[in-house]
Amino acid sequence: MPLQCGIVGLPNVGKSTIFNALTKSHSAEAANYPFCTIDPNVGIVEVPDKRFDKLCEVVVPKKSVPASVEFVDIAGLVKGASQGEGLGNKFLSHIRQVEAILHIVRCFDDENITHVSGDLDPRDDVEVIELELILSDLEQVEKRLESMKKKFRSGDAEAKKMVPVLEKVFATLKDSKPATATDLTEDEVEIIKDMALLSLKPVIFIGNLPEDDIATPDDNPYFQKLKEVAAQRNTIALSVSGKIESELTALDSEEEKAFLEDMGLSEPGLNKIIRGAYELLGYIVFFTAGEVEVRAWEVLKNTKAPKAASKIHTDIERGFIRVEVTSYADFEEYGTMKKAQTAGKMRVEGKDYIIVDGDIVFFRFNV
């Protein structure tokens, strides 16, 4: 299953434009009025990776499967969304199961595109969305806490573990702070994992800039303020131009390259978003490569070989014997897998081996 990211933001910040550019589609309606997105739009995007492209070029497999990211675009949120304002709280439920949130923030002036609150201030815009996520979580935690307290009094083992954690999180949310501000251990986070709290998810801020500012985003005062907001929350702010990204979708690869050079850019801004999501969540990629198939697999950093093998099939993890590993750097240096192996660059590793980004692997197993 691909990495999942939910896209949130106020109305008219460019969410649907950026979603359409990400997914190279027009499934999300983009218009100059609030709530033009009604049902959530879902799109799966290939992760740009030159290593994967090179493997496919050399191996020439019958099938190739790159790593991917799934994006979910929901209706623009407004103040009071958690209590049913705008299109209501139900739209927040659409992103409860995603692993990360991309918060699109408007960083451009345009008198022809209305701002939902009248004045453009990235800090205020961020706080409006954050508060709605907090309030939605507060309602959910309060309901669960009431239910668990009843079970707690009857001696329920699960409730005894969960109630203290819920009380800590409830106090934080009640103070209008996100669940991430709660001092939770890894075990405590795991205890409430099934609640999929929105304000406990990692967030990347995406500043939607005018095309004239995209080559020098730090000159944009709105984006500078957004970067300050991101730093205070221990995350990152990335810059894109929805207008530019939208135009790029209509170009072939050579036209895109020329267009980017003219704009003073080295790559589409959307590549930065995908990489940013991977880095924020701590994902890396390993490869399996053969004439039948070349495939990229995403796993968390510090994943041991048997657990990585389970991404392919649980039987491989269960019957794991060893893994044969060739680093991508060695493959690139020698030109082919066979030449790298002949040069002694293929290593045999056991169950304690930790997968490294770019590893090209072959699992040996027996069930």
Side-chain angles (χ1 to χ4, degrees):
M1 189 173 182
L3 168 65
Q4 293 178 304
C5 296
I7 300 177
V8 303
L10 293 170
N12 296 340
V13 298
K15 286 192 315 90
S16 295
T17 299
I18 290 173
F19 173 85
N20 286 338
L22 269 169
T23 58
K24 292 181 170 56
S25 71
H26 298 283
S27 59
E29 183 181 358
N32 180 25
Y33 54 86
F35 318 125
C36 64
T37 301
I38 305 298
D39 296 319
N41 299 294
V42 179
I44 296 178
V45 182
E46 294 182 2
V47 175
D49 192 329
K50 292 180 180 178
R51 300 171 303 178
F52 176 80
D53 296 338
K54 184 66 175 180
L55 272 170
C56 291
E57 178 187 325
V58 172
V59 176
V60 194
K62 294 177 181 177
K63 181 182 179 183
S64 59
V65 184
S68 61
V69 180
E70 182 178 289
F71 292 96
V72 182
D73 174 38
I74 65 167
L77 301 174
V78 294
K79 188 174 182 179
S82 57
Q83 278 77 47
E85 290 296 322
L87 289 178
N89 194 20
K90 71 172 185 174
F91 290 95
L92 291 172
S93 67
H94 290 142
I95 56 169
R96 282 216 174 267
Q97 300 309 316
V98 302
E99 295 166 81
I101 291 176
L102 305 182
H103 186 162
I104 311 297
V105 181
R106 177 171 165 175
C107 294
F108 63 88
D109 290 308
D110 190 331
E111 61 183 19
N112 296 315
I113 301 178
T114 58
H115 187 281
V116 70
S117 64
D119 297 317
L120 176 57
D121 184 327
R123 183 177 298 277
D124 289 346
D125 292 356
V126 165
E127 289 176 352
V128 167
I129 299 297
E130 281 184 337
L131 183 57
E132 295 312 313
L133 302 185
I134 289 167
L135 291 174
S136 181
D137 283 349
L138 181 63
E139 179 183 1
Q140 189 179 15
V141 170
E142 187 172 24
K143 288 180 179 177
R144 179 69 69 90
L145 187 55
E146 288 176 4
S147 172
M148 283 294 159
K149 279 183 175 179
K150 293 176 182 177
K151 294 181 179 180
F152 183 91
R153 288 191 288 270
S154 66
D156 183 85
E158 181 190 8
K160 285 185 176 181
K161 290 181 180 179
M162 184 169 275
V163 167
V165 181
L166 290 173
E167 287 179 334
K168 287 169 66 173
V169 175
F170 181 78
T172 301
L173 297 170
K174 191 74 173 174
D175 198 28
S176 299
K177 295 177 182 177
T180 50
T182 313
D183 184 19
L184 297 174
T185 66
E186 288 185 15
D187 288 342
E188 288 175 327
V189 171
E190 190 65 27
I191 287 170
I192 59 172
K193 183 178 180 180
D194 71 300
M195 297 185 71
L197 297 179
L198 294 168
S199 67
L200 199 57
K201 297 182 186 297
V203 177
I204 296 177
F205 294 107
I206 310 295
N208 187 8
L209 276 62
E211 55 185 322
D212 291 342
D213 291 354
I214 199 61
T216 55
D218 288 342
D219 292 341
N220 181 296
Y222 296 129
F223 186 63
Q224 275 291 353
K225 185 173 286 190
L226 183 61
K227 286 177 67 176
E228 293 171 6
V229 171
Q232 290 169 356
R233 288 153 176 79
N234 297 313
T235 187
I236 58 173
L238 302 175
S239 59
V240 301
S241 167
K243 186 175 181 181
I244 289 176
E245 303 302 327
S246 183
E247 291 174 3
L248 286 173
T249 62
L251 306 178
D252 62 30
S253 58
E254 289 302 316
E255 291 171 331
E256 178 183 282
K257 184 178 178 181
F259 183 89
L260 289 170
E261 286 177 356
D262 288 343
M263 297 299 299
L265 303 173
S266 60
E267 64 176 345
L270 301 178
N271 289 10
K272 293 189 296 183
I273 294 177
I274 294 172
R275 280 203 308 272
Y278 262 68
E279 290 169 9
L280 179 71
L281 292 167
Y283 276 92
I284 61 171
V285 171
F286 71 91
F287 305 100
T288 51
E291 292 180 1
V292 175
E293 178 185 86
V294 169
R295 184 184 288 249
W297 306 86
E298 61 270 10
V299 292
L300 290 171
K301 291 177 182 176
N302 300 318
T303 296
K304 290 186 177 181
K307 191 66 178 177
S310 72
K311 294 283 292 187
I312 302 172
H313 200 287
T314 54
D315 281 351
I316 304 179
E317 179 184 21
R318 186 161 55 90
F320 180 89
I321 299 173
R322 64 181 182 272
V323 59
E324 298 168 2
V325 184
T326 305
S327 73
Y328 179 80
D330 288 332
F331 161 78
E332 188 174 41
E333 179 181 351
Y334 288 92
T336 69
M337 290 289 292
K338 187 174 182 179
K339 289 179 179 178
Q341 291 169 2
T342 301
K345 297 301 180 180
M346 195 254 318
R347 311 184 312 277
V348 177
E349 303 284 359
K351 64 181 181 180
D352 290 329
Y353 177 71
I354 293 174
I355 296 293
V356 175
D357 187 46
D359 277 350
I360 306 167
V361 304
F362 184 81
F363 294 107
R364 299 286 184 180
F365 69 104
N366 183 36
V367 290

